[in-house]
Amino acid sequence: MKRKITLKQIAKELDVSISTVSKALSGSKEISEDTTQKIQAFAKLYNYRPNNIALSLKNRKTKTIGIIIPEIVHHFFSTVIRGIELVANKRGYNVIVGLSNESFTKEIINMEMLAGGSIDGFILSISKETLLKQDYHHFNATINQGMPIVLFDRVVNEVDCDKVIVDDFKGALKAVKKLLSTGCKNIALITTMDYVSVGRLRTQGYLEALQDGKINADTNLILKIDDSLDVEGHLEVLEKEIEQFFKNNKKIDGVFAVNELYAVTAMKVARKLGFKIPDDIQVIGFTDGVLSKHATPSLTTVSQHGQKMGEKAADLLIDRLELEEVGSSEYIEENERDEFFKTVVIETELIERDSTK
Amino acid sequence: MKRKITLKQIAKELDVSISTVSKALSGSKEISEDTTQKIQAFAKLYNYRPNNIALSLKNRKTKTIGIIIPEIVHHFFSTVIRGIELVANKRGYNVIVGLSNESFTKEIINMEMLAGGSIDGFILSISKETLLKQDYHHFNATINQGMPIVLFDRVVNEVDCDKVIVDDFKGALKAVKKLLSTGCKNIALITTMDYVSVGRLRTQGYLEALQDGKINADTNLILKIDDSLDVEGHLEVLEKEIEQFFKNNKKIDGVFAVNELYAVTAMKVARKLGFKIPDDIQVIGFTDGVLSKHATPSLTTVSQHGQKMGEKAADLLIDRLELEEVGSSEYIEENERDEFFKTVVIETELIERDSTK
């Protein structure tokens, strides 16, 4: 039903001139209120999306931000949403959340649904499946249709928009340097599969720190976890895998894990195998969630400042929405617009607790 | 702009008969596609909501469920959403999440926004402020306009709809009986303020268990926490309050806490004060989240089965949506419809771990 319609078709259908349709859609005072409403209703029904960015933005002010996240049972994403909410509410916007569940198709469905009149712009983090497929057409199409997007955490070069990232590389570097400085000689890395960009960058930080410390990386000390193990029911499998890893590598005296769950599970397994933390094995995680604070011993971790990321993303999006409103009277060239895009890097912070010396 | 419009006004505006409008809105084949589309577009623009439930449901099949939860950084709500998602996806529906942030006004704003054409029905848990105000008009108005609601966890009698609850009373009863059976004589309760229904019911379960055990309740052993202490930054305040509570009541040998955070914090404080768990003090929480599993010692807790609640809520809502579709051809009396409403009670389960004997 929702086929694309052109200005010309709307004009023909309602028996008015193209210029009338165009003016009505841009809210011009030249057109009577009645006619404007009829044309706008018709255009809305047919999901008409003008190509001119400025024009489309005049019609649409829902004051709502659409957020799409890969996973809901995830403390980091929750804190980002809290940050977005905080700024959005302060600046008079509402938020609505769609879930991609790490699926490419669900990401598209959610974007289509929200973009169809419910929201002014998106803040989103890319699903794992999309990263695997490297298919980003839905983001670019949305942006080309005049709806701004801010990407956070999981971002790609192929999408031209505002971005908020944490310095995953430097965060990992700091963590591993801390382990080295406190005497660790055989530092293990527990990470994800390579296609998740944040896992890859954290792995690079780990390797760089070893190199700086004149230590040769030992691939046996790198454990790549299949992501499906993140799911709650698979905690036992995760534990077994890490236990086997420790048994195969008895010399491990330090662990850097790219997320909190892996780190806490590593501590649990290490304790079970009779190691003392931090005396025998030191452990550092990534993401400062509830687990890190309440673990025993409490976990030294790289904080991503999720709330700050959310706040920054919301500010970038709302700034752009409001900039475009002003811009609409002047008409900004598309290639000029591109130069506006910012990538904001949120500095990570090493929060030292009891799992390190 | 979005004032209410009647069938009569639409008919006058478009210069057609009322019966044409009514038929067009119900998708009757008697009316030409052109006319139907014009009328539907117009009605949509003016946010027309027919009073006849069956009629309105024919127009609207977004195959999307709107969820409104009080808080996003909350493992229980996350697992409920996961359950809703699971069933919704299986049955061909999408979900979208709005956040009330425990605010009455934000709850209304979110419902208005989502009800305006984005979704087919709601699954929601009532905000604390709404419970305090006891103002439920927005739920009833939505239901009266023909949009079904399923309430979960925090429900009230004043709203007539399908509900999914956990047996808070029995869950608490089981927990406190467990403490009594393992020798506790002075069982403390750490709970919320009374207006949160789940806290109230869990308190009643606690009192009932004591009575069954022929123990007089001691109000000094009941600590009511101000909810604003749940916020992350206030963890220290929560700790101090519980510490003072323990210091004032040295005889405490068992603790039942109405949520996981209070329970884990109580364990932390108890350990700090030199008590051994479970030897000196046994602790049981409510809600089986990540903290319970990973705490040291791991926490015995009452599982609410959040995912199961979500699954059940989604089934109830989709059943009703699909029932109403069938019903629309026959016309079901409104008072007949009321008798369909179900309250499903999800049984709690005591998960025994290392914080009890």
Side-chain angles (χ1 to χ4, degrees), chain B residues 74-101:
Chain B
H74 200 304
H75 189 262
F76 168 66
F77 288 123
S78 303
T79 54
V80 174
I81 292 177
R82 183 186 271 172
I84 295 172
E85 268 254 319
L86 220 85
V87 166
N89 290 342
K90 212 175 286 167
R91 298 183 66 173
Y93 285 73
N94 198 19
V95 306
I96 193 168
V97 186
L99 309 167
S100 68
N101 267 349

PDB file of all heavy atoms in Angstrom, chain B residues 74-101:
ATOM      1  N   HIS B  74      17.057  -1.436  34.264  1.00  0.00           N
ATOM      2  CA  HIS B  74      16.366  -2.285  35.206  1.00  0.00           C
ATOM      3  C   HIS B  74      16.265  -3.672  34.582  1.00  0.00           C
ATOM      4  O   HIS B  74      15.547  -3.872  33.611  1.00  0.00           O
ATOM      5  CB  HIS B  74      14.971  -1.702  35.454  1.00  0.00           C
ATOM      6  CG  HIS B  74      14.340  -2.164  36.717  1.00  0.00           C
ATOM      7  ND1 HIS B  74      14.164  -3.495  36.992  1.00  0.00           N
ATOM      8  CD2 HIS B  74      13.846  -1.488  37.779  1.00  0.00           C
ATOM      9  CE1 HIS B  74      13.577  -3.606  38.183  1.00  0.00           C
ATOM     10  NE2 HIS B  74      13.385  -2.406  38.678  1.00  0.00           N
ATOM     11  N   HIS B  75      16.977  -4.608  35.166  1.00  0.00           N
ATOM     12  CA  HIS B  75      17.065  -5.936  34.558  1.00  0.00           C
ATOM     13  C   HIS B  75      15.707  -6.611  34.420  1.00  0.00           C
ATOM     14  O   HIS B  75      15.420  -7.246  33.407  1.00  0.00           O
ATOM     15  CB  HIS B  75      18.015  -6.814  35.366  1.00  0.00           C
ATOM     16  CG  HIS B  75      18.339  -8.106  34.709  1.00  0.00           C
ATOM     17  ND1 HIS B  75      17.698  -9.270  35.018  1.00  0.00           N
ATOM     18  CD2 HIS B  75      19.203  -8.413  33.723  1.00  0.00           C
ATOM     19  CE1 HIS B  75      18.181 -10.257  34.277  1.00  0.00           C
ATOM     20  NE2 HIS B  75      19.096  -9.760  33.487  1.00  0.00           N
ATOM     21  N   PHE B  76      14.846  -6.433  35.413  1.00  0.00           N
ATOM     22  CA  PHE B  76      13.536  -7.086  35.343  1.00  0.00           C
ATOM     23  C   PHE B  76      12.747  -6.611  34.125  1.00  0.00           C
ATOM     24  O   PHE B  76      12.235  -7.421  33.346  1.00  0.00           O
ATOM     25  CB  PHE B  76      12.746  -6.829  36.640  1.00  0.00           C
ATOM     26  CG  PHE B  76      11.300  -7.215  36.536  1.00  0.00           C
ATOM     27  CD1 PHE B  76      10.935  -8.549  36.377  1.00  0.00           C
ATOM     28  CD2 PHE B  76      10.301  -6.251  36.574  1.00  0.00           C
ATOM     29  CE1 PHE B  76       9.597  -8.915  36.265  1.00  0.00           C
ATOM     30  CE2 PHE B  76       8.963  -6.602  36.463  1.00  0.00           C
ATOM     31  CZ  PHE B  76       8.614  -7.937  36.315  1.00  0.00           C
ATOM     32  N   PHE B  77      12.656  -5.300  33.938  1.00  0.00           N
ATOM     33  CA  PHE B  77      11.901  -4.791  32.792  1.00  0.00           C
ATOM     34  C   PHE B  77      12.530  -5.233  31.469  1.00  0.00           C
ATOM     35  O   PHE B  77      11.840  -5.524  30.505  1.00  0.00           O
ATOM     36  CB  PHE B  77      11.772  -3.264  32.855  1.00  0.00           C
ATOM     37  CG  PHE B  77      10.832  -2.803  33.935  1.00  0.00           C
ATOM     38  CD1 PHE B  77      11.256  -1.928  34.929  1.00  0.00           C
ATOM     39  CD2 PHE B  77       9.530  -3.251  33.981  1.00  0.00           C
ATOM     40  CE1 PHE B  77      10.394  -1.518  35.937  1.00  0.00           C
ATOM     41  CE2 PHE B  77       8.656  -2.853  34.989  1.00  0.00           C
ATOM     42  CZ  PHE B  77       9.092  -1.985  35.964  1.00  0.00           C
ATOM     43  N   SER B  78      13.855  -5.284  31.441  1.00  0.00           N
ATOM     44  CA  SER B  78      14.531  -5.749  30.231  1.00  0.00           C
ATOM     45  C   SER B  78      14.121  -7.179  29.886  1.00  0.00           C
ATOM     46  O   SER B  78      13.867  -7.491  28.728  1.00  0.00           O
ATOM     47  CB  SER B  78      16.040  -5.712  30.411  1.00  0.00           C
ATOM     48  OG  SER B  78      16.469  -4.422  30.752  1.00  0.00           O
ATOM     49  N   THR B  79      14.053  -8.025  30.908  1.00  0.00           N
ATOM     50  CA  THR B  79      13.711  -9.418  30.611  1.00  0.00           C
ATOM     51  C   THR B  79      12.244  -9.539  30.192  1.00  0.00           C
ATOM     52  O   THR B  79      11.916 -10.377  29.369  1.00  0.00           O
ATOM     53  CB  THR B  79      13.986 -10.357  31.807  1.00  0.00           C
ATOM     54  OG1 THR B  79      13.313  -9.845  32.948  1.00  0.00           O
ATOM     55  CG2 THR B  79      15.467 -10.454  32.102  1.00  0.00           C
ATOM     56  N   VAL B  80      11.382  -8.694  30.746  1.00  0.00           N
ATOM     57  CA  VAL B  80       9.985  -8.707  30.307  1.00  0.00           C
ATOM     58  C   VAL B  80       9.925  -8.326  28.823  1.00  0.00           C
ATOM     59  O   VAL B  80       9.256  -8.980  28.028  1.00  0.00           O
ATOM     60  CB  VAL B  80       9.108  -7.741  31.138  1.00  0.00           C
ATOM     61  CG1 VAL B  80       7.697  -7.668  30.561  1.00  0.00           C
ATOM     62  CG2 VAL B  80       9.048  -8.173  32.597  1.00  0.00           C
ATOM     63  N   ILE B  81      10.653  -7.288  28.452  1.00  0.00           N
ATOM     64  CA  ILE B  81      10.665  -6.863  27.049  1.00  0.00           C
ATOM     65  C   ILE B  81      11.191  -7.991  26.164  1.00  0.00           C
ATOM     66  O   ILE B  81      10.650  -8.257  25.096  1.00  0.00           O
ATOM     67  CB  ILE B  81      11.519  -5.592  26.868  1.00  0.00           C
ATOM     68  CG1 ILE B  81      10.829  -4.413  27.571  1.00  0.00           C
ATOM     69  CG2 ILE B  81      11.721  -5.261  25.381  1.00  0.00           C
ATOM     70  CD1 ILE B  81      11.617  -3.128  27.527  1.00  0.00           C
ATOM     71  N   ARG B  82      12.226  -8.673  26.639  1.00  0.00           N
ATOM     72  CA  ARG B  82      12.741  -9.792  25.853  1.00  0.00           C
ATOM     73  C   ARG B  82      11.651 -10.843  25.615  1.00  0.00           C
ATOM     74  O   ARG B  82      11.503 -11.364  24.506  1.00  0.00           O
ATOM     75  CB  ARG B  82      13.939 -10.424  26.574  1.00  0.00           C
ATOM     76  CG  ARG B  82      14.572 -11.538  25.773  1.00  0.00           C
ATOM     77  CD  ARG B  82      15.658 -12.245  26.548  1.00  0.00           C
ATOM     78  NE  ARG B  82      16.950 -11.629  26.364  1.00  0.00           N
ATOM     79  CZ  ARG B  82      18.042 -11.966  27.060  1.00  0.00           C
ATOM     80  NH1 ARG B  82      17.971 -12.892  27.986  1.00  0.00           N
ATOM     81  NH2 ARG B  82      19.185 -11.373  26.825  1.00  0.00           N
ATOM     82  N   GLY B  83      10.867 -11.113  26.655  1.00  0.00           N
ATOM     83  CA  GLY B  83       9.776 -12.081  26.521  1.00  0.00           C
ATOM     84  C   GLY B  83       8.711 -11.611  25.538  1.00  0.00           C
ATOM     85  O   GLY B  83       8.224 -12.380  24.707  1.00  0.00           O
ATOM     86  N   ILE B  84       8.360 -10.327  25.634  1.00  0.00           N
ATOM     87  CA  ILE B  84       7.354  -9.764  24.713  1.00  0.00           C
ATOM     88  C   ILE B  84       7.851  -9.895  23.277  1.00  0.00           C
ATOM     89  O   ILE B  84       7.129 -10.371  22.392  1.00  0.00           O
ATOM     90  CB  ILE B  84       7.080  -8.277  25.047  1.00  0.00           C
ATOM     91  CG1 ILE B  84       6.430  -8.136  26.430  1.00  0.00           C
ATOM     92  CG2 ILE B  84       6.184  -7.647  23.972  1.00  0.00           C
ATOM     93  CD1 ILE B  84       6.299  -6.703  26.928  1.00  0.00           C
ATOM     94  N   GLU B  85       9.090  -9.485  23.058  1.00  0.00           N
ATOM     95  CA  GLU B  85       9.727  -9.553  21.744  1.00  0.00           C
ATOM     96  C   GLU B  85       9.672 -10.942  21.140  1.00  0.00           C
ATOM     97  O   GLU B  85       9.378 -11.122  19.960  1.00  0.00           O
ATOM     98  CB  GLU B  85      11.211  -9.184  21.894  1.00  0.00           C
ATOM     99  CG  GLU B  85      11.509  -7.746  21.685  1.00  0.00           C
ATOM    100  CD  GLU B  85      12.187  -7.571  20.342  1.00  0.00           C
ATOM    101  OE1 GLU B  85      13.049  -8.403  19.989  1.00  0.00           O
ATOM    102  OE2 GLU B  85      11.833  -6.618  19.630  1.00  0.00           O
ATOM    103  N   LEU B  86      10.016 -11.905  21.980  1.00  0.00           N
ATOM    104  CA  LEU B  86      10.089 -13.300  21.545  1.00  0.00           C
ATOM    105  C   LEU B  86       8.760 -13.753  20.954  1.00  0.00           C
ATOM    106  O   LEU B  86       8.692 -14.277  19.840  1.00  0.00           O
ATOM    107  CB  LEU B  86      10.424 -14.162  22.766  1.00  0.00           C
ATOM    108  CG  LEU B  86      11.405 -15.279  22.538  1.00  0.00           C
ATOM    109  CD1 LEU B  86      12.830 -14.741  22.668  1.00  0.00           C
ATOM    110  CD2 LEU B  86      11.176 -16.367  23.581  1.00  0.00           C
ATOM    111  N   VAL B  87       7.685 -13.528  21.721  1.00  0.00           N
ATOM    112  CA  VAL B  87       6.363 -13.956  21.269  1.00  0.00           C
ATOM    113  C   VAL B  87       5.889 -13.077  20.114  1.00  0.00           C
ATOM    114  O   VAL B  87       5.348 -13.561  19.122  1.00  0.00           O
ATOM    115  CB  VAL B  87       5.356 -13.920  22.433  1.00  0.00           C
ATOM    116  CG1 VAL B  87       3.931 -14.032  21.928  1.00  0.00           C
ATOM    117  CG2 VAL B  87       5.668 -15.038  23.410  1.00  0.00           C
ATOM    118  N   ALA B  88       6.117 -11.770  20.227  1.00  0.00           N
ATOM    119  CA  ALA B  88       5.663 -10.849  19.189  1.00  0.00           C
ATOM    120  C   ALA B  88       6.277 -11.231  17.843  1.00  0.00           C
ATOM    121  O   ALA B  88       5.576 -11.349  16.836  1.00  0.00           O
ATOM    122  CB  ALA B  88       6.026  -9.412  19.554  1.00  0.00           C
ATOM    123  N   ASN B  89       7.579 -11.454  17.829  1.00  0.00           N
ATOM    124  CA  ASN B  89       8.245 -11.805  16.572  1.00  0.00           C
ATOM    125  C   ASN B  89       7.710 -13.115  16.007  1.00  0.00           C
ATOM    126  O   ASN B  89       7.490 -13.234  14.810  1.00  0.00           O
ATOM    127  CB  ASN B  89       9.757 -11.890  16.763  1.00  0.00           C
ATOM    128  CG  ASN B  89      10.363 -10.518  17.006  1.00  0.00           C
ATOM    129  OD1 ASN B  89       9.744  -9.495  16.703  1.00  0.00           O
ATOM    130  ND2 ASN B  89      11.560 -10.480  17.556  1.00  0.00           N
ATOM    131  N   LYS B  90       7.498 -14.065  16.905  1.00  0.00           N
ATOM    132  CA  LYS B  90       6.989 -15.362  16.468  1.00  0.00           C
ATOM    133  C   LYS B  90       5.620 -15.199  15.807  1.00  0.00           C
ATOM    134  O   LYS B  90       5.296 -15.868  14.839  1.00  0.00           O
ATOM    135  CB  LYS B  90       6.891 -16.287  17.689  1.00  0.00           C
ATOM    136  CG  LYS B  90       7.132 -17.754  17.375  1.00  0.00           C
ATOM    137  CD  LYS B  90       7.141 -18.597  18.656  1.00  0.00           C
ATOM    138  CE  LYS B  90       8.408 -18.423  19.476  1.00  0.00           C
ATOM    139  NZ  LYS B  90       8.292 -18.975  20.843  1.00  0.00           N
ATOM    140  N   ARG B  91       4.817 -14.265  16.348  1.00  0.00           N
ATOM    141  CA  ARG B  91       3.464 -14.102  15.826  1.00  0.00           C
ATOM    142  C   ARG B  91       3.354 -12.967  14.809  1.00  0.00           C
ATOM    143  O   ARG B  91       2.259 -12.510  14.484  1.00  0.00           O
ATOM    144  CB  ARG B  91       2.487 -13.908  17.001  1.00  0.00           C
ATOM    145  CG  ARG B  91       2.465 -15.143  17.924  1.00  0.00           C
ATOM    146  CD  ARG B  91       1.456 -15.034  19.049  1.00  0.00           C
ATOM    147  NE  ARG B  91       0.072 -15.018  18.584  1.00  0.00           N
ATOM    148  CZ  ARG B  91      -0.987 -15.072  19.386  1.00  0.00           C
ATOM    149  NH1 ARG B  91      -0.818 -15.176  20.698  1.00  0.00           N
ATOM    150  NH2 ARG B  91      -2.214 -15.011  18.897  1.00  0.00           N
ATOM    151  N   GLY B  92       4.486 -12.480  14.334  1.00  0.00           N
ATOM    152  CA  GLY B  92       4.462 -11.492  13.254  1.00  0.00           C
ATOM    153  C   GLY B  92       4.269 -10.047  13.679  1.00  0.00           C
ATOM    154  O   GLY B  92       3.865  -9.209  12.878  1.00  0.00           O
ATOM    155  N   TYR B  93       4.570  -9.750  14.928  1.00  0.00           N
ATOM    156  CA  TYR B  93       4.444  -8.377  15.409  1.00  0.00           C
ATOM    157  C   TYR B  93       5.812  -7.793  15.738  1.00  0.00           C
ATOM    158  O   TYR B  93       6.751  -8.517  16.039  1.00  0.00           O
ATOM    159  CB  TYR B  93       3.568  -8.329  16.667  1.00  0.00           C
ATOM    160  CG  TYR B  93       2.099  -8.503  16.381  1.00  0.00           C
ATOM    161  CD1 TYR B  93       1.578  -9.751  16.029  1.00  0.00           C
ATOM    162  CD2 TYR B  93       1.234  -7.422  16.442  1.00  0.00           C
ATOM    163  CE1 TYR B  93       0.225  -9.907  15.750  1.00  0.00           C
ATOM    164  CE2 TYR B  93      -0.120  -7.566  16.170  1.00  0.00           C
ATOM    165  CZ  TYR B  93      -0.617  -8.816  15.824  1.00  0.00           C
ATOM    166  OH  TYR B  93      -1.952  -8.946  15.551  1.00  0.00           O
ATOM    167  N   ASN B  94       5.864  -6.480  15.691  1.00  0.00           N
ATOM    168  CA  ASN B  94       7.056  -5.742  16.048  1.00  0.00           C
ATOM    169  C   ASN B  94       6.779  -5.047  17.386  1.00  0.00           C
ATOM    170  O   ASN B  94       5.626  -4.863  17.750  1.00  0.00           O
ATOM    171  CB  ASN B  94       7.310  -4.701  14.947  1.00  0.00           C
ATOM    172  CG  ASN B  94       8.718  -4.177  14.966  1.00  0.00           C
ATOM    173  OD1 ASN B  94       9.615  -4.782  15.533  1.00  0.00           O
ATOM    174  ND2 ASN B  94       8.916  -3.030  14.351  1.00  0.00           N
ATOM    175  N   VAL B  95       7.817  -4.662  18.108  1.00  0.00           N
ATOM    176  CA  VAL B  95       7.570  -3.898  19.329  1.00  0.00           C
ATOM    177  C   VAL B  95       8.336  -2.586  19.318  1.00  0.00           C
ATOM    178  O   VAL B  95       9.345  -2.441  18.638  1.00  0.00           O
ATOM    179  CB  VAL B  95       7.927  -4.664  20.624  1.00  0.00           C
ATOM    180  CG1 VAL B  95       7.253  -6.006  20.700  1.00  0.00           C
ATOM    181  CG2 VAL B  95       9.425  -4.816  20.751  1.00  0.00           C
ATOM    182  N   ILE B  96       7.809  -1.646  20.078  1.00  0.00           N
ATOM    183  CA  ILE B  96       8.415  -0.325  20.184  1.00  0.00           C
ATOM    184  C   ILE B  96       8.264   0.074  21.648  1.00  0.00           C
ATOM    185  O   ILE B  96       7.269  -0.250  22.274  1.00  0.00           O
ATOM    186  CB  ILE B  96       7.684   0.610  19.204  1.00  0.00           C
ATOM    187  CG1 ILE B  96       8.417   1.895  19.004  1.00  0.00           C
ATOM    188  CG2 ILE B  96       6.286   0.881  19.631  1.00  0.00           C
ATOM    189  CD1 ILE B  96       7.824   2.643  17.812  1.00  0.00           C
ATOM    190  N   VAL B  97       9.289   0.699  22.198  1.00  0.00           N
ATOM    191  CA  VAL B  97       9.310   0.929  23.641  1.00  0.00           C
ATOM    192  C   VAL B  97       9.312   2.414  23.970  1.00  0.00           C
ATOM    193  O   VAL B  97      10.112   3.169  23.421  1.00  0.00           O
ATOM    194  CB  VAL B  97      10.568   0.290  24.277  1.00  0.00           C
ATOM    195  CG1 VAL B  97      10.529   0.402  25.798  1.00  0.00           C
ATOM    196  CG2 VAL B  97      10.719  -1.163  23.852  1.00  0.00           C
ATOM    197  N   GLY B  98       8.422   2.829  24.828  1.00  0.00           N
ATOM    198  CA  GLY B  98       8.424   4.179  25.370  1.00  0.00           C
ATOM    199  C   GLY B  98       8.745   4.116  26.854  1.00  0.00           C
ATOM    200  O   GLY B  98       8.502   3.104  27.500  1.00  0.00           O
ATOM    201  N   LEU B  99       9.312   5.196  27.383  1.00  0.00           N
ATOM    202  CA  LEU B  99       9.737   5.193  28.780  1.00  0.00           C
ATOM    203  C   LEU B  99       8.985   6.247  29.566  1.00  0.00           C
ATOM    204  O   LEU B  99       8.935   7.407  29.160  1.00  0.00           O
ATOM    205  CB  LEU B  99      11.233   5.501  28.857  1.00  0.00           C
ATOM    206  CG  LEU B  99      12.116   4.641  27.958  1.00  0.00           C
ATOM    207  CD1 LEU B  99      13.508   5.241  27.862  1.00  0.00           C
ATOM    208  CD2 LEU B  99      12.165   3.228  28.473  1.00  0.00           C
ATOM    209  N   SER B 100       8.399   5.847  30.678  1.00  0.00           N
ATOM    210  CA  SER B 100       7.701   6.856  31.480  1.00  0.00           C
ATOM    211  C   SER B 100       8.636   7.496  32.497  1.00  0.00           C
ATOM    212  O   SER B 100       8.291   8.544  33.049  1.00  0.00           O
ATOM    213  CB  SER B 100       6.508   6.230  32.202  1.00  0.00           C
ATOM    214  OG  SER B 100       6.954   5.319  33.186  1.00  0.00           O
ATOM    215  N   ASN B 101       9.792   6.877  32.730  1.00  0.00           N
ATOM    216  CA  ASN B 101      10.683   7.408  33.770  1.00  0.00           C
ATOM    217  C   ASN B 101       9.965   7.655  35.082  1.00  0.00           C
ATOM    218  O   ASN B 101      10.237   8.647  35.757  1.00  0.00           O
ATOM    219  CB  ASN B 101      11.324   8.715  33.309  1.00  0.00           C
ATOM    220  CG  ASN B 101      12.652   8.459  32.649  1.00  0.00           C
ATOM    221  OD1 ASN B 101      13.179   7.357  32.722  1.00  0.00           O
ATOM    222  ND2 ASN B 101      13.184   9.467  31.999  1.00  0.00           N
TER     223      ASN B 101
END
